[in-house]
Amino acid sequence: MERIPATSTTKATADWFTGDVYYDVIARGEEPSRIRVNTVRFTPGARTAWHHHACGQTLHVTDGVGLVVTADEVIVMRPGDTVWTPPGERHWHGAAPADFMTHLAMWEAPDPAAGLAETTWGDHVTDAEYDAAAASL
Ligand code: MN
């Protein structure tokens, strides 16, 4: 076995996130494992851009209040909640307007032979889209 040193916290890029978001890499599997686990911390109102994952993604909230949103559904996430987004399903996730939110993000990289991106990023979530989802709180 091997004790893995903690990595430093990284600020998520403004290319793919709105607001201040920080993540720590918890696990990054070496082939044949392709597991990916990050702790992601969102400040109030911060969120990802629209995106989808080639192999899907599991989100597990450890602190705060958050949102996971698809084109036709809003799920409010609280500590202990787990949400699965299937492969290819466009979505975004982030903190509620007046709360921090921390989640574990767990996904797999696709088989390199498949030639797919782990995560495919799209447009930023507009304030209007965010406000409409936050109305579910
Ligand atoms: Mn996602």
Side-chain angles (χ1 to χ4, degrees):
M1 64 182 174
E2 179 185 0
R3 182 180 171 94
I4 307 292
T7 59
S8 45
T9 298
T10 301
K11 190 170 195 304
T13 173
D15 291 347
W16 299 337
F17 292 81
T18 298
D20 292 330
V21 179
Y22 298 85
Y23 66 92
D24 292 5
V25 175
I26 303 300
R28 184 177 176 87
E30 295 183 20
E31 292 283 344
S33 170
R34 293 188 285 270
I35 191 171
R36 306 283 187 260
V37 183
N38 286 0
T39 297
V40 190
R41 298 181 172 91
F42 296 81
T43 55
R47 64 269 189 178
T48 69
W50 286 98
H51 65 281
H52 58 87
H53 307 282
C55 299
Q57 183 177 57
T58 300
L59 303 172
H60 179 80
V61 176
T62 58
D63 186 65
V65 182
L67 302 164
V68 189
V69 182
T70 64
D72 55 11
E73 188 177 11
V74 177
I75 295 178
V76 176
M77 302 187 293
R78 296 179 186 280
D81 289 343
T82 302
V83 176
W84 160 248
T85 63
E89 183 177 70
R90 287 182 74 247
H91 67 275
W92 58 266
H93 27 114
D99 295 274
F100 289 82
M101 188 273 285
T102 300
H103 66 43
L104 292 171
M106 296 164 273
W107 73 101
E108 290 171 79
D111 184 329
L116 298 170
E118 284 183 32
T119 302
T120 301
W121 294 95
D123 293 335
H124 282 93
V125 174
T126 66
D127 288 345
E129 288 173 319
Y130 180 81
D131 292 346
S136 294
L137 288 161

